[in-house]
Amino acid sequence: MKIASFNVNSVRARLPNVLSWLEAAQPDVVCLQEIKVETDSFPRDEFSAAHYHLLVHGQKSYNGVAMLARAPLTEISHSLNPDDPQARYLEAQVNGITIINIYAPNGNPVESEKFPYKLDWLDRLIARARHLLAAETPFLITGDYNIIPQPQDCHDPKAWEGDALFRPESRAKWRTLCNLGLTDAFRALHPTQANAYTFWDYQAGAWQRDNGIRIDHVLLSPQLADKLVSCQIDRNPRGQDKASDHTPILVELKL
DNA sequence: ATGCCGTCCGAAGGACGA
């Protein structure tokens, strides 16, 4: 079973890119982030034609998450907080496992209310993970965490000092998730691989200079960590015309 | 470097991203 995560930075602007990547990668499940469209305006027909079932939790202009799957999807939840209008979470069951798709808040600037919002959002995610672990549910959490876990996960750590993606408070939330017993699928299989980035800014030739960061992740519950076969970052979509600033990460599980 | 680019909304240029 191949599960992919891709922050597409607008599903409408990225439709040809996403469809050609789907055709090449052939994932069984896909978690999309930053679809930037209301639920009712999602381009459903194009993904149905590619033989995917679909769950969409959208929002006008910003944020928004969606899930595609070859097998039927059953929605469990689309929020960590009923008072939060931002569409950043989608939890569903497919093929007997629980898949959580996240678009965690950016949190910049750190002096603004956006940073405590980010930390609070991550606390709610940690609470949800604790609950699922206690219930011994096989699950994974994938998506755009907006966290650079370690200095080796960015090209230029000095440049990220003080940024919400690299602040000690943000990295501590990541560590808490890992210390609950979740496995960073990529680092479990590639512990020392450098330049393993999933995002390159559009500005200042970041892609051409490989000035990237690793912020899109897959965390596995213990039951699924035992089934981990491979985890790869697919750099190819980032080099295409009209690319997203993120590129997909794919994990393969032997269920 | 409050810079660089891209997308959204809406019809110019500000908000937002990372």
Side-chain angles (χ1 to χ4, degrees), chain A residues 127-192:
Chain A
R128 183 63 185 153
R130 278 188 204 283
H131 175 86
L132 292 171
L133 284 163
E136 300 188 14
T137 304
F139 72 98
L140 63 84
I141 307 173
T142 190
D144 180 356
Y145 282 70
N146 268 316
I147 300 172
I148 302 165
Q150 299 283 344
Q152 59 265 38
D153 294 314
C154 57
H155 176 263
D156 183 7
K158 274 231 177 306
W160 291 95
E161 254 175 38
D163 191 282
L165 279 65
F166 198 51
R167 278 282 292 248
E169 298 93 327
S170 306
R171 294 167 60 191
K173 300 302 181 195
W174 169 263
R175 274 202 311 281
T176 297
L177 283 166
C178 294
N179 291 339
L180 292 177
L182 302 183
T183 297
D184 177 350
F186 187 83
R187 279 295 176 223
L189 295 175
H190 311 285
T192 60

Side-chain angles (χ1 to χ4, degrees), chain A residues 47-201:
Chain A
F47 292 102
S48 299
H51 308 292
Y52 283 100
H53 295 84
L54 198 53
L55 282 181
V56 181
H57 181 43
Q59 177 186 335
K60 189 182 175 79
S61 305
Y62 303 114
N63 310 317
V65 285
M67 264 193 233
L68 321 174
R70 299 286 199 198
L73 282 157
T74 306
E75 180 172 327
I76 298 169
S77 166
H78 59 255
S79 178
L80 289 166
N81 176 4
D83 296 328
D84 185 354
Q86 301 191 28
R88 298 179 173 276
Y89 186 88
L90 195 50
E91 177 177 335
Q93 276 195 324
V94 58
N95 290 342
I97 67 172
T98 295
I99 297 189
I100 296 177
N101 177 13
I102 66 165
Y103 173 48
N106 174 304
N108 282 306
V110 292
E111 304 78 17
S112 74
E113 73 289 346
K114 292 181 179 182
F115 191 53
Y117 170 72
K118 173 180 190 158
L119 299 178
D120 177 71
W121 198 95
L122 291 168
D123 279 336
R124 292 174 191 271
L125 182 65
I126 289 164
R128 183 63 185 153
R130 278 188 204 283
H131 175 86
L132 292 171
L133 284 163
E136 300 188 14
T137 304
F139 72 98
L140 63 84
I141 307 173
T142 190
D144 180 356
Y145 282 70
N146 268 316
I147 300 172
I148 302 165
Q150 299 283 344
Q152 59 265 38
D153 294 314
C154 57
H155 176 263
D156 183 7
K158 274 231 177 306
W160 291 95
E161 254 175 38
D163 191 282
L165 279 65
F166 198 51
R167 278 282 292 248
E169 298 93 327
S170 306
R171 294 167 60 191
K173 300 302 181 195
W174 169 263
R175 274 202 311 281
T176 297
L177 283 166
C178 294
N179 291 339
L180 292 177
L182 302 183
T183 297
D184 177 350
F186 187 83
R187 279 295 176 223
L189 295 175
H190 311 285
T192 60
Q193 184 175 318
N195 302 64
Y197 308 133
T198 65
F199 170 91
W200 298 257
D201 203 291

Side-chain angles (χ1 to χ4, degrees), chain A residues 6-10 14 17 33-34 198-200 202 237-247:
Chain A
F6 190 3
N7 179 323
V8 294
N9 184 18
S10 170
R14 214 69 56 213
N17 304 57
Q33 302 89 34
E34 280 205 89
T198 65
F199 170 91
W200 298 257
Y202 287 124
R238 185 62 181 85
Q240 304 293 312
D241 282 343
K242 301 285 286 178
S244 170
D245 39 8
H246 294 250
T247 213

